Amino acid sequence: MILLRIASLLLAFILSPLALAKPLQVVAPLEVSSLEPDQNGYLFTRLQVAETLVTVDRSGKLIPQLASAWTVENDGLTWRFAIRDHVVMHDGSALDASLVQRALERARKGSGVLALVPISRIDAKGREVLIHLSRPFAPLAAYLANYSTQILADSSFDAAGKTVAVIGSGPYQVKQISTPLKVSMVRFERYWQRPAHIKEVEYLAVGKGETRALMVQSGQADLVFSLLPLSVNAVKRAPNVALDVVTLPRTRLLKLNAGSPFFADVRVRQALSLALDRPALASAILRNPSLAATQLFPPSVAAWHDNRLPGLTHDLNKARSLLREAGWQAGADGILQKDGQPFRVTLTTFSSWPELPVLATAIQAQWRQIGVELAVSVGNSSEIVSKHRDGTLQVGLLSRNFSLTPDPLGTLSSDFGPKGGDWGAMNWSSSELTSALQTLESGKASQSDNQQLHGVILRHLQQELPVIPVAWSELVVASSKRLTHLYVDPYELSYHLAELEWQP
């Protein structure tokens, strides 16, 4: 009788307005490593604290956000963005063209995507921001959907221009940040669209995938992103949890230093690709053999996946033959040698994507079969960037997001342009590929010509392999069944928290 009474009280609490008003507990592996928009801004746009001029709808089409509309002059050199009326920042200041102009100037001078755009100047005129270009650049609007271009209030910055607070315009405002793990937020009642349904949100960064899974199973978390494949079956059995899975425009790949004597020869890069048993890696580690990357983009990115392209395959005999052609011979210990130098290199990766160290260990074993000795170094993602810039990177294993701008052209241009990129090519470039990228950027080609140029770029990357695709990605999200209206964004621009409601 007592137990029945306790159960009745618990049920009454669960259904009460007090329980429905509890903070939404969101868990993901992303830490609060910085407040700077070009470094950690993706977290604050996903949490809907900060917003950009442009975003995408559920079909991936570019739509206005803080801009109400935009136009491009006939010569392609001037873009006009009308700034939305009646938008209030979290500090009570008003959104106007001058504020946007200052935010974009900061973004242009930082390390984000806007630094790659051929901007000659940015003007504020009435309720419009005018972006003047030195040459036509068709994907500009897509670049302005990137997190690094988020618009923050002037009070977010100190006198030296350092970001000291994240004061945006989104449906949630920051209440407290406890770096590097926690962000507390509250609904912004003056939001320019419909206010969020749930009043408070607590975000927690949890690096271990097993812990994230246990938290949603136990009810400690309401919404958990990036479940590990090993955890999916256990979470499926939890009666209080729903699962959503979406394919992402994100590829796990190996970044090679093509200026190194180990990787300068394209035959070596091709051999290393042939040594990878991608279906085995995808099956054993990701629990989904269909994620084996036969080319750079998955089929879900239709405009950039070429079904006619011969896929990357596994062939140890051909790999060994290519290495011999390139002058590498097995030594007494089985390790390849050339001019007295053994083929011993270090792979750098990071654990914020938990599957990467496991993949690295498996790649280590597979490359050992062709005589390549690979040491694995697991650190922070920033090490790949720093080692790229100082020239010490040999191999990097990373998860590359090709929807940093909704049109992958933006990421391709930053990764495979004449100077390469922190997350793309290193000491490798191609005049043919650069020309194709620049033609696409100009916006002057016809639709059929655009598709031909896509093919040129994809074939060149598949043959030259400045980066080696390993596995495509899917995002597994677990949520409490008491939540309704969940939308998992394949472009990873937003968690769409403001749309969520507690089911009574």
Side-chain angles (χ1 to χ4, degrees):
M1 190 69 180
I2 293 175
L3 289 176
L4 183 61
R5 177 63 176 162
I6 292 172
S8 298
L9 289 170
L10 286 172
L11 181 61
F13 174 75
I14 289 170
L15 297 176
S16 71
L18 180 62
L20 294 177
K22 79 179 188 73
L24 174 71
Q25 303 291 334
V26 180
V27 172
L30 305 172
E31 291 189 352
V32 192
S33 59
S34 168
L35 300 185
E36 298 295 339
D38 60 352
Q39 296 177 33
N40 204 192
Y42 52 82
L43 179 59
F44 295 102
T45 49
R46 292 186 195 191
L47 291 174
Q48 294 184 277
V49 171
E51 297 178 306
T52 50
L53 289 182
V54 179
T55 188
V56 296
D57 64 15
R58 296 193 180 190
S59 68
K61 178 185 175 183
L62 293 170
I63 58 173
Q65 191 171 56
L66 291 180
S68 58
W70 65 85
T71 57
V72 188
E73 295 190 0
N74 291 335
D75 61 5
L77 297 177
T78 300
W79 291 59
R80 294 176 174 272
F81 291 86
I83 304 307
R84 194 174 294 279
D85 292 324
H86 311 303
V87 175
V88 179
M89 309 301 288
H90 295 160
D91 63 358
S93 61
L95 178 75
D96 59 25
S98 295
L99 175 62
V100 172
Q101 188 261 351
R102 290 191 293 274
L104 295 183
E105 285 288 6
R106 289 189 194 96
R108 180 185 169 197
K109 294 172 184 175
S111 60
V113 299
L114 215 58
L116 305 171
V117 178
I119 295 173
S120 56
R121 74 178 193 277
I122 303 174
D123 295 331
K125 186 177 181 180
R127 293 294 300 175
E128 286 188 324
V129 168
L130 281 64
I131 300 181
H132 304 277
L133 306 176
S134 58
R135 60 179 171 84
F137 191 77
L140 174 61
Y143 275 57
L144 292 172
N146 179 263
Y147 62 83
S148 64
T149 69
Q150 63 188 245
I151 310 302
L152 300 182
D154 289 331
S155 56
S156 300
F157 309 96
D158 65 14
K162 180 182 177 182
T163 309
V164 293
V166 182
I167 301 170
S169 58
Y172 285 103
Q173 65 184 98
V174 171
K175 186 165 64 173
Q176 184 178 3
I177 297 177
S178 303
T179 56
L181 300 179
K182 190 174 181 181
V183 181
S184 299
M185 304 182 300
V186 66
R187 178 172 61 209
F188 182 49
E189 302 293 351
R190 300 177 68 187
Y191 184 51
W192 59 273
Q193 294 192 81
R194 184 180 65 184
H197 294 288
I198 296 175
K199 184 176 181 180
E200 293 190 62
V201 176
E202 299 281 352
Y203 172 81
L204 187 65
V206 176
K208 290 188 176 180
E210 300 90 341
T211 305
R212 294 197 298 276
L214 289 172
M215 290 180 73
V216 74
Q217 288 173 266
S218 66
Q220 290 177 281
D222 303 305
L223 183 58
V224 171
F225 289 85
S226 303
L227 280 189
L228 295 179
L230 288 170
S231 305
V232 168
N233 286 335
V235 173
K236 274 183 181 177
R237 293 192 293 268
N240 59 323
V241 178
L243 282 180
D244 287 86
V245 182
V246 298
T247 303
L248 302 176
R250 178 186 286 275
T251 302
R252 302 170 181 93
L253 54 82
L254 291 160
K255 169 187 169 73
L256 305 177
N257 182 353
S260 157
F262 297 105
F263 308 116
D265 193 320
V266 66
R267 292 170 295 184
V268 173
R269 302 196 297 271
Q270 292 170 347
L272 293 172
S273 176
L274 287 162
L276 296 176
D277 187 345
R278 293 174 176 84
L281 294 173
S283 297
I285 298 170
L286 306 176
R287 303 300 174 96
N288 185 350
S290 69
L291 295 178
T294 56
Q295 56 181 280
L296 189 60
F297 289 95
S300 59
V301 188
W304 286 97
H305 181 89
D306 190 346
N307 289 320
R308 300 164 298 177
L309 197 64
L312 300 172
T313 59
H314 179 230
D315 189 332
L316 289 177
N317 289 331
K318 189 174 180 181
R320 292 178 180 124
S321 175
L322 285 169
L323 287 165
R324 285 194 296 271
E325 288 178 22
W328 292 93
Q329 301 290 332
D333 58 358
I335 303 301
L336 294 174
Q337 294 187 10
K338 183 179 179 180
D339 300 329
Q341 184 176 31
F343 205 136
R344 291 191 175 96
V345 292
T346 297
L347 180 152
T348 302
T349 192
F350 46 92
S351 58
S352 54
W353 292 99
E355 77 281 2
L356 292 183
V358 185
L359 274 173
T361 302
I363 291 168
Q364 181 184 52
Q366 292 188 354
W367 280 6
R368 185 63 178 80
Q369 292 180 291
I370 58 169
V372 174
E373 187 171 290
L374 189 66
V376 174
S377 172
V378 180
N380 298 316
S381 59
S382 59
E383 290 184 37
I384 289 180
V385 175
S386 62
K387 288 182 177 181
H388 172 101
R389 293 179 179 178
D390 68 17
T392 60
L393 184 74
Q394 293 181 308
V395 186
L397 176 63
L398 55 108
S399 181
R400 183 55 168 150
N401 181 3
F402 287 101
S403 64
L404 290 172
T405 60
D407 181 350
L409 175 61
T411 309
L412 288 169
S413 296
S414 66
D415 284 1
F416 302 107
K419 297 181 181 179
D422 291 341
W423 301 102
M426 181 174 181
N427 295 318
W428 177 91
S429 64
S430 158
S431 57
E432 184 181 1
L433 188 143
T434 297
S435 176
L437 289 170
Q438 289 176 345
T439 302
L440 287 171
E441 288 177 350
S442 73
K444 295 179 179 178
S446 66
Q447 187 61 35
S448 61
D449 287 341
N450 282 346
Q451 286 304 311
Q452 289 181 351
L453 291 167
H454 287 190
V456 168
I457 293 165
L458 293 172
R459 284 193 300 275
H460 218 65
L461 292 175
Q462 192 89 335
Q463 292 164 4
E464 290 287 324
L465 293 172
V467 301
I468 299 177
V470 178
W472 298 317
S473 295
E474 59 186 10
L475 178 63
V476 182
V477 178
S479 61
S480 166
K481 287 185 176 179
R482 294 178 54 235
L483 282 175
T484 61
H485 309 302
L486 173 65
Y487 170 63
V488 181
D489 178 10
Y491 295 91
E492 298 185 281
L493 296 182
S494 172
Y495 290 152
H496 292 270
L497 303 179
E499 300 168 23
L500 295 174
E501 291 185 75
W502 294 117
Q503 187 171 333

